Amino acid sequence: MVDELWPLDGAQQVDDDLERFYAYPEQLERPWVRVNFVSSLDGAATVQGRSRGLSSPVDQRVLRLIRELSDVVLVGVGTAMTERYRGIKRTEVSTERRAQLGLSEIPPIALVTKHASLPPESPLLTDTLVPPIVLTTEAAPAQRRAELADAGADVVVTGDEDVDLLAALAALDERGLRRIGCEGGPTLFGSLIDQDLVDELCLTLSPMLTSGDAGRIAAGTGLGSAHRMRLESVLHAESLLFARYARMRE
């Protein structure tokens, strides 16, 4: 187990160390799901409805790095709409780092939406260099699926009434996308936990007390057994803590 504290000062050595800390396992033979979240000290996942209120430039730097190291960014459509997602730009990832790692120039965004509820005019479709992958269901209106496909999305049916997350991960695997950086939201994270599909959690603890009625970072059924995690690394900067936990599997 690695347990280190490190001030982020912008030096190249820090960038290299961060890449080492957040590196995915080598030679993956299956999809590896890494979930990235930020939380307040009292457990809130949002401030005034958005996670950006808990974030900071340092946290955004780590988020960008995780995107740089991922084959694909997985996110629920509700979170994508609330946080105003658009396609990832070349200026938001290091194409040089991705090339050195043998990754595509820009990672696509994969959206989980059982009703195919992404508007065709969304910036994820109109302001992107890489078409998004829409993971949806047979129950989603056929016209909506067709409109998204016509707008350039790679529409994949992965379940009947609900998105089958195992099938969704298999679809990403078929496309060579095994390093999966999941950015939530809480419902998607909770579903991944319920099905024991989380391999790793990268949690930023923001130095804020928020109170209020904001939800927690995971909102699932809670019907399954608890899953034990192992601490891999701890970093700190500007009173934020960056913890990385890996799933303990037999």
Side-chain angles (χ1 to χ4, degrees), residues 49-65:
R50 299 184 65 189
S51 64
R52 284 188 176 273
L54 295 168
S55 190
S56 72
V58 175
D59 180 51
Q60 290 296 307
R61 178 179 179 182
V62 171
L63 173 65
R64 287 193 299 272
L65 176 64

Side-chain angles (χ1 to χ4, degrees), residues 133-157:
I133 302 167
V134 176
L135 304 165
T136 190
T137 67
E138 192 68 43
Q143 182 176 351
R144 287 187 186 176
R145 286 186 271 141
E147 289 174 349
L148 291 176
D150 290 343
D154 179 6
V155 179
V156 187
V157 174

Side-chain angles (χ1 to χ4, degrees), residues 190-214:
S191 296
L192 289 166
I193 293 172
D194 289 341
Q195 298 181 45
D196 196 12
L197 296 175
V198 176
D199 294 293
E200 189 176 318
L201 171 63
C202 298
L203 179 63
T204 299
L205 195 60
S206 177
M208 292 186 183
L209 294 173
T210 64
S211 187
D213 58 357

Side-chain angles (χ1 to χ4, degrees), residues 29-122:
E29 297 182 355
R30 62 166 180 84
W32 181 276
V33 179
R34 164 182 283 170
V35 180
N36 185 45
F37 256 100
V38 61
S39 168
S40 71
L41 295 176
D42 54 318
T46 59
V47 171
Q48 297 182 339
R50 299 184 65 189
S51 64
R52 284 188 176 273
L54 295 168
S55 190
S56 72
V58 175
D59 180 51
Q60 290 296 307
R61 178 179 179 182
V62 171
L63 173 65
R64 287 193 299 272
L65 176 64
I66 291 175
R67 285 184 167 190
E68 287 178 11
L69 301 177
S70 300
D71 288 317
V72 61
V73 173
L74 180 69
V75 64
V77 70
T79 293
M81 300 294 290
T82 299
E83 301 290 343
R84 302 171 189 171
Y85 273 52
R86 56 187 174 82
I88 297 172
K89 305 299 183 184
R90 289 188 176 90
T91 55
E92 296 173 319
V93 294
S94 169
T95 53
E96 179 180 356
R97 176 180 282 122
R98 290 183 64 81
Q100 291 174 347
L101 295 172
L103 306 178
S104 63
E105 186 177 20
I106 299 173
I109 291 178
L111 292 131
V112 176
T113 167
K114 66 179 180 180
H115 299 303
S117 54
L118 179 70
E121 64 274 14
S122 166

